[in-house]
Amino acid sequence: MAINWYPGHMVKAKREIAENIKLVDIVLMLLDARAPFSCRNPELEKIISRKKIIFILNKMDLASPSSTQQYQQRLQQEGYPTAAMDSSTGKGAKEVLQLIKSVYQQQAEEMLSKGRRIRSPRVMVVGVPNIGKSTFLNCLVGKKVAQTGAKPGVTRGKQWVRVREDIEFMDTPGLMWPKVEEEEQGLKLALLNIVGENAYEEYEVALYLLKTLQVKTPQIFFTRYRVEDVQLDAETMLAEIARNRGYLNKGGMPDIDKTCHLLLQDYRRGNLGRISLD
Ligand SMILES: Nc1nc2c(ncn2[C@@H]2O[C@H](COP(=O)(O)OP(=O)(O)O)[C@@H](O)[C@H]2O)c(=O)[nH]1
Ligand SMILES: [Mg+2]
């Protein structure tokens, strides 16, 4: 399966980011902590390269803590400051604000040495769809500025929202598109609910998840779905889960589509544990 995902509105999104980037000092690039490298886009990083980029590994509550640490180390080796965050609870918010201030410090000193007045850092949040941009902004700013789960692409006038620590956030986050280069990366992005659902078959993504679980956490098939032989081939496994759940068609046959949907949902909600993919 080739996931070829570059919807029309991404062209507009790219133009908007290129415009808005001029107004800020720092870009916070949100990545999914479960597969941060799959969310990246070198082309966009190049467009932004004249600004300071901070990578935020969001949804860390759903990711394997040791993987998150490793991913952060790799990004730091590339020279990027990083932090991890759970925007649904605000865990990590303090560290993010602290990081922004310390990254800005250098710029502030340069301003000072040129005899310029130091102003508050201006920050823009960017990230792929569903990564949690709106949730993140609302969480840091401490009130509802951005609509969560909203359809992207509604342009309004730029507004700045100031947080206590004297940081100004652009109220409209930038929509970023991942660069999908290989099949497995596309499957990960589909599993993470980042690519639009018309771009993939749930069945194929569920097969990918199933194989991943069999490698990383096979016991889950027993503990959650009551399947005793955790290494069954994919087809038989899906049918077993369907029967155990009572997901049957009219003819009494296992409902495979419904079972695939269940698997994906369980992964996305964290019901299968904290499983990272990159
Ligand atoms: N578990 C968890 N869910 C999150 C986190 N951040 C966002 N979400 C959820 O992810 C979904 C997409 O969030 P949203 O802010 O609308 O994403 P956006 O499209 O990037 O603006 C929503 O259901 C949020 O509740 C997080 O750190 N942890
Ligand atoms: Mg949003």
Side-chain angles (χ1 to χ4, degrees):
M1 172 184 62
I3 290 185
N4 191 352
W5 194 66
Y6 193 86
H9 63 260
M10 292 298 172
V11 178
K12 184 157 164 268
K14 182 174 164 181
R15 201 169 53 225
E16 273 182 18
I17 290 187
E19 275 300 312
N20 289 339
I21 221 69
K22 297 175 192 157
L23 306 173
V24 302
D25 306 297
I26 294 170
V27 177
L28 294 191
M29 203 173 270
L30 265 57
L31 307 173
D32 193 304
R34 290 165 293 180
F37 298 98
S38 298
C39 298
R40 285 176 74 176
N41 184 326
E43 186 196 355
L44 181 63
E45 286 169 25
K46 217 167 136 190
I47 297 176
I48 300 176
S49 62
R50 293 174 64 189
K51 304 289 175 173
K52 281 280 184 195
I53 299 177
I54 298 177
F55 283 115
I56 307 290
L57 274 54
N58 193 43
K59 306 198 183 187
M60 71 165 174
D61 54 304
L62 299 174
S64 142
S66 60
S67 300
T68 302
Q69 228 175 17
Q70 282 173 24
Y71 300 155
Q72 283 192 267
Q73 277 167 7
R74 271 168 66 183
L75 290 168
Q76 279 156 5
Q77 278 161 12
E78 284 185 44
Y80 292 106
T82 78
M85 171 95 185
D86 169 5
S87 299
S88 66
T89 64
K91 194 161 175 247
K94 265 195 199 140
E95 289 80 356
V96 168
L97 294 173
Q98 200 50 52
L99 187 59
I100 294 170
K101 277 163 63 175
S102 73
V103 166
Y104 189 61
Q105 188 63 32
Q106 200 189 334
Q107 273 166 277
E109 278 162 18
E110 279 167 25
M111 283 182 195
L112 205 60
S113 71
K114 288 179 190 158
R116 287 168 56 195
R117 192 174 59 88
I118 297 177
R119 51 164 181 73
S120 307
R122 293 197 179 137
V123 179
M124 181 188 182
V125 172
V126 305
V128 293
N130 267 324
I131 195 72
K133 298 178 289 298
S134 305
T135 312
F136 175 86
L137 257 176
N138 291 336
C139 175
L140 282 200
V141 173
K143 59 182 176 197
K144 200 158 178 176
V145 285
Q147 252 197 317
T148 52
K151 284 262 160 65
V154 189
T155 329
R156 290 165 278 143
K158 297 289 158 295
Q159 301 231 5
W160 299 93
V161 279
R162 188 182 286 266
V163 306
R164 276 186 308 281
E165 279 76 1
D166 223 25
I167 299 169
E168 290 187 67
F169 280 90
M170 190 180 283
D171 74 338
T172 327
L175 184 64
M176 164 185 161
W177 61 103
K179 179 159 175 53
V180 187
E181 287 191 317
E182 44 159 84
E183 179 168 329
E184 189 176 354
Q185 185 198 357
L187 289 165
K188 290 176 189 175
L189 293 168
L191 182 53
L192 295 173
N193 213 6
I194 287 168
V195 301
E197 58 191 10
N198 297 329
Y200 60 90
E201 292 289 336
E202 286 199 335
Y203 176 73
E204 293 191 55
V205 181
L207 286 188
Y208 172 71
L209 172 60
L210 218 146
K211 285 171 191 150
T212 304
L213 294 173
Q214 281 181 325
V215 173
K216 296 195 179 214
T217 170
Q219 73 287 355
I220 197 75
F221 292 107
F222 179 69
T223 54
R224 187 158 182 96
Y225 303 117
R226 297 288 152 211
V227 177
E228 301 214 352
D229 179 357
V230 299
Q231 293 301 342
L232 286 176
D233 69 277
E235 294 287 332
T236 322
M237 178 70 87
L238 287 173
E240 275 287 296
I241 297 174
R243 273 191 288 269
N244 293 353
R245 286 278 157 144
Y247 288 179
L248 303 174
N249 293 327
K250 279 193 195 119
M253 297 292 284
D255 188 338
I256 300 302
D257 288 344
K258 194 171 170 186
T259 309
C260 289
H261 191 71
L262 169 82
L263 278 171
L264 298 190
Q265 245 183 1
D266 273 349
Y267 176 79
R268 289 169 182 165
R269 290 180 179 162
N271 295 340
L272 307 178
R274 303 174 67 169
I275 302 160
S276 297
L277 302 171
D278 265 353

